[in-house]
Each structure stands twice: as C-alpha cells, then as structure tokens.
Amino acid sequence: MEIGPKFSGTKSTGSKFRLPQLASDVLGFGHKHDATDDIPLDIMNDPKKKEKELAAWEADIKRREDDIRQREGAVAGAGVPIDDKNWPPFFPIIHHDIANEIPVHAQRLQYLAFASWLGIVLCLVFNVFAVMICWIRGGGPTIFFLAVIYAFSGCPLSYMLWYGPLYRAVREDSALKFGWFFMFYLVHIGFCIYAAIAPPFFFNGKALTGILAAIDALSDHVIVGIFYMIGFACFCLESLLSVWVLQYWEPCPKPHNTGATLEPLPHR
C-alpha cells in the first residue's frame, strides 16, 4: 500500500524550475494598471530653454521697473508731492521736510506749529509719568488708565486733525485745509487751557496735571505735587506757544488764485 505521492529520483530534462511571483504581486511591479511618472527629459536637460525663460523673466522685471520710473517722473512733473515717511530718522512714521517743501515765507509758521505739536506730545507723555507716580502713591489705577488714553489718542489725533492739515495747506496753498487746521487748532488750545487748570468735571481731575490737581496733590504727597506742578507748567507753555502760532500768521487770499496763502502779520 502506497501512502502519498511518489517522488522520482530522476529529474526530467523538459521541466524548468520557476520562482513564485510573490515579489511582483506584493510590490505591484510589472502590471499594466500600475501608475507611471513620465518625466520629460528635454526640460531637465535643455539649458538653452532655461536661459530663454530667465531672459524673458528679467526683461519683464526691467519693463515693470521702467514703467514705475515713468509714472514717478510723471507725478513729479505734475507737481504732486510723494509723501514718503522720513521722520523721525531712526523710526520713520510721518513725512516731514519743511526746508524743501514749505515756501520760505511760511517756514517760520511751520516750525512754530511743529514745535507746538511736539510740545503737546511731550505734555501728554509727561502727564502719564506724573499720574503714574500719583497712582503708586495711592491715587488709584483709574487716573493712570485715563492718562494713558489721553496720550495714545491725543498724540496721533493732534497730527491728523491740525498739524498734518496745516503742513499740506502751506505746501499746496489750500484755503480749505487751512480752515480745517484753524478749527481743530482752536480745539487744541481749549484742551491745553483745560488741562492746565484740570477742573474736577468732565474728566477725572487728577488724570491731568493741572494747577487744581497739583494743589490737591501737594496736600497729600509733596513729590506727587512737584510732578504735577511741572506738568502744569508744561501745559501753560504749550497754551502760550499755541496762541503765538495763531497771532503770528493769518491767511490772506491771492487775487490770482482761488486758494489762499499765508502771509505774516505786520510787525508792530
């Protein structure tokens, strides 16, 4: 009785030994449905085509630069000023060039107004410092936050509402912009006078370093009172300088132009 298949001891000459197709079945190589990537060798190995593309790209950039230069030249020829930021020099945030853009007869006005704008910025910054001293001495955080609000709102608004319009009015000879400056500059003078007094209504009295707040602070803390007195002096000087700006110049209309120009008042 034979169990299992018989194995022949001799090898057939016609049979061939074949490996199982496991590698191709598992890895997926060699099938007709496999994904193929066709990489165009002519693009990778064609330096002339790359040079043409780079040359076309450089020509396009040069054409755009020439177009920008032509537009800038046309704007400059038309007399339209380009307001690039150049002040302060270490961190430019505004455009300011009195010597080259403002007429000679109006430069003194512009320098006085510029000093007035720097003065209100200095007053508001020192006001924050003095009120912070008062807060440390027990004045409460409310007055400090109000002082910070006055500084962060007053500094940019003073430039946008009256100094910037005055600069453009003198440079462009615009009566409308000068009227805008005059209206808001009166508001600025009123605020300086109010801050120099610092009455205890509308605003928190000790949030501004006026004379009334300084007298009140002197009775509590001498150091705080001294800082408030310095702030009072700053607001007084700013008020006088602002009034001087208005008294030194006045707008006079030109007979040959619908705009207005700024002429100095006759010296008395």
Side-chain angles (χ1 to χ4, degrees), residues 73-212:
V75 169
V80 179
I82 301 175
D83 293 342
D84 54 331
K85 298 177 181 180
N86 58 355
W87 193 90
F90 57 88
F91 187 71
I93 56 176
I94 63 173
H95 175 78
H96 198 261
D97 192 3
I98 295 177
N100 296 322
E101 293 184 342
I102 303 301
V104 177
H105 70 276
Q107 287 186 3
R108 186 171 183 180
L109 166 67
Q110 199 64 47
Y111 279 119
L112 287 175
F114 184 58
S116 177
W117 179 64
L118 292 180
I120 189 60
V121 171
L122 177 63
C123 289
L124 292 174
V125 172
F126 184 82
N127 184 75
V128 173
F129 181 73
V131 174
M132 182 179 65
I133 299 297
C134 182
W135 173 33
I136 294 174
R137 292 289 182 173
T142 303
I143 58 174
F144 174 72
F145 288 117
L146 287 175
V148 172
I149 292 173
Y150 299 157
F152 275 91
S153 60
C155 294
L157 285 178
S158 60
Y159 178 82
M160 292 185 293
L161 294 180
W162 59 265
Y163 183 73
L166 175 64
Y167 188 92
R168 291 186 291 271
V170 177
R171 183 182 64 182
E172 302 169 9
D173 195 18
S174 172
L176 180 63
K177 293 178 181 179
F178 184 82
W180 181 276
F181 152 76
F182 186 79
M183 178 178 63
F184 281 102
Y185 200 64
L186 291 179
V187 176
H188 158 74
I189 294 176
F191 172 78
C192 292
I193 296 174
Y194 180 90
I197 301 173
F201 52 87
F202 293 115
F203 299 95
N204 193 316
K206 286 190 176 181
L208 293 171
T209 56
I211 184 62
L212 297 181

Side-chain angles (χ1 to χ4, degrees), residues 14 25-26 41 53 58 67 96-97 111 135 137-138 146 203 237 242 247:
D25 293 340
V26 176
L41 299 178
E53 292 177 355
E58 292 177 357
D67 187 32
H96 198 261
D97 192 3
Y111 279 119
W135 173 33
R137 292 289 182 173
L146 287 175
F203 299 95
L237 293 176
S242 301
Q247 287 185 344

Side-chain angles (χ1 to χ4, degrees), residues 3 43 51 68 88 119 143 177 198 206 235:
I3 300 175
I43 296 179
E51 291 178 0
I68 293 174
I143 58 174
K177 293 178 181 179
K206 286 190 176 181
F235 279 114

